[in-house]
Amino acid sequence: LQLHHSGRYRCEGLLGSWQSRSAAVTVTVHGVPPSGVSLSVQSPGGQVALGDRLVLSCTVTTGTGSLSFSWHREGSGASLGTSPCLELRHIGDNDSSQYWCRVSNGDSVAESDPLNVTVL
């Protein structure tokens, strides 16, 4: 089912010249809110060497509709990106922080647990 399948439905039958029609029923399809949001990182334990590249991936277990992603870092109010992956090139000392992703389907929002990233 998709959200656009919501509406009024009825069935009709014809046997010879006899026609019958059921009463209409209303079907409402609800979106499934995003849940099971998690982060993964290619660096073991979230540790990355100074100057290296860091790639974080955000995955969603369930959720319907058009999902939008945003990336966040502790102490920063601005979104760092809007795709399911966040790539930070040439990691610097100031990139050590907690990172998380937020997923929305327009009606509901879910967040991953924060991931500690340590620059060595």
Side-chain angles (χ1 to χ4, degrees):
L1 285 173
Q2 300 294 319
L3 293 175
H4 70 272
H5 290 127
S6 293
R8 294 187 51 81
Y9 290 86
R10 76 169 119 233
C11 65
E12 296 180 2
L14 182 64
L15 181 60
S17 61
W18 184 69
Q19 183 177 8
S20 181
R21 176 185 292 176
S22 72
V25 295
T26 300
V27 174
T28 304
V29 180
H30 298 280
V32 176
S35 65
V37 179
S38 61
L39 287 184
S40 60
V41 60
Q42 91 281 4
S43 304
Q47 296 182 342
V48 61
L50 185 68
D52 278 358
R53 179 178 81 126
L54 175 69
V55 179
L56 302 172
S57 298
C58 184
T59 57
V60 181
T61 304
T62 59
T64 59
S66 179
L67 298 178
S68 62
F69 295 81
S70 61
W71 287 93
H72 305 274
R73 181 174 77 188
E74 184 180 35
S76 173
S79 172
L80 303 174
T82 57
S83 71
C85 291
L86 175 68
E87 180 178 355
L88 301 174
R89 298 174 188 224
H90 308 294
I91 291 292
D93 288 328
N94 59 346
D95 291 319
S96 286
S97 189
Q98 286 191 333
Y99 292 80
W100 66 92
C101 68
R102 184 176 292 151
V103 180
S104 173
N105 68 353
D107 295 320
S108 303
V109 175
E111 289 185 354
S112 69
D113 288 334
L115 173 72
N116 287 316
V117 172
T118 304
V119 178
L120 304 173

